[in-house]
Every structure is written in structure tokens, then in C-alpha cells.
Amino acid sequence: MSKFYGAIGYSVTEEIRPGVWGEKITVRDYYGDVIRNTRQYQSSDNLNDNLNVSNEFSIVADPFAYANFHSMRFIEYMGAKWKISNVEVQYPRLILTVGGVYNEQTIETA
């Protein structure tokens, strides 16, 4: 099992301007372990196949992570942001399963 240190992004809904709400990403760093490290290419109608990883991470969770595990959106690993598809609570840790690449959406603030 290899060690892990990286950022996890949480989605927080906030009011951008009166009557307009959007998601803001809050990033926090965590320590943990890489439990499973696998990858898979999926055929698609596009020119290139899609890359999906099915990695599992076990992080040492703080009170913020326990209170907001439902808002976790991505984890940074090996220079890329990966979408968190499943979170399992196993006190004092959280087990995160990731899927495909996380695509950030920008919010217009003007």
C-alpha cells in the first residue's frame, strides 16, 4: 500500500449575486493510503478511448471531512483531478473510490 498526500475538493453552494446560486469549490489537503490502483480504457464513439481509474484511497479524516463527506467532488492524484464516485465511512477514516477525470465548471461571477 502506497502513501498519499493531496487535495480534496468540496462543493459548497453559495449566493453569487442576489437570486443566483452556484457551487464554489473549497480545497483541503489530507494524508492517507492508496488501497487500490487500477485503470481501464472504455471504448467510445470518439477518436480516443476514455480513461477511467478505479482507485481507492483511505484518508485520515478530520471533523470537517466527516461533516461534509457528501460534498466531496474530486481528489488530486498524480497531477490530475479525479471524480469521487463513492465515499465509505470507516471511523477514523474515509474510503474514497474515484472514477473518471473531473471536469471543472466555471461560474460566471459578473
Side-chain angles (χ1 to χ4, degrees):
M1 206 173 356
S2 62
K3 297 296 181 187
F4 165 78
Y5 176 77
I8 294 179
Y10 294 85
S11 172
V12 178
T13 303
E14 67 176 20
E15 192 170 19
I16 298 170
R17 55 183 179 267
V20 178
W21 292 80
E23 288 187 347
K24 179 185 175 205
I25 299 295
T26 301
V27 178
R28 296 179 66 125
D29 293 326
Y30 291 94
Y31 287 96
D33 299 308
V34 179
I35 298 173
R36 185 172 61 164
N37 193 9
T38 62
R39 68 116 174 117
Q40 172 187 4
Y41 280 107
Q42 289 182 336
S43 298
S44 66
D45 295 336
N46 300 332
L47 180 62
N48 297 322
D49 292 339
N50 294 329
L51 172 65
N52 282 336
V53 295
S54 297
N55 294 355
E56 286 187 359
F57 298 88
S58 172
I59 64 164
V60 179
D62 59 5
F64 181 84
Y66 281 117
N68 298 289
F69 71 89
H70 61 278
S71 299
M72 290 180 173
R73 294 294 182 257
F74 69 84
I75 186 169
E76 288 187 23
Y77 179 64
M78 298 186 83
K81 293 179 181 176
W82 301 96
K83 187 177 4 178
I84 296 175
S85 59
N86 188 35
V87 179
E88 180 182 346
V89 178
Q90 290 185 359
Y91 190 82
R93 294 180 167 263
L94 294 176
I95 310 299
L96 311 176
T97 305
V98 299
V101 176
Y102 176 77
N103 295 315
E104 292 186 70
Q105 298 176 358
T106 57
I107 299 173
E108 182 181 324
T109 59

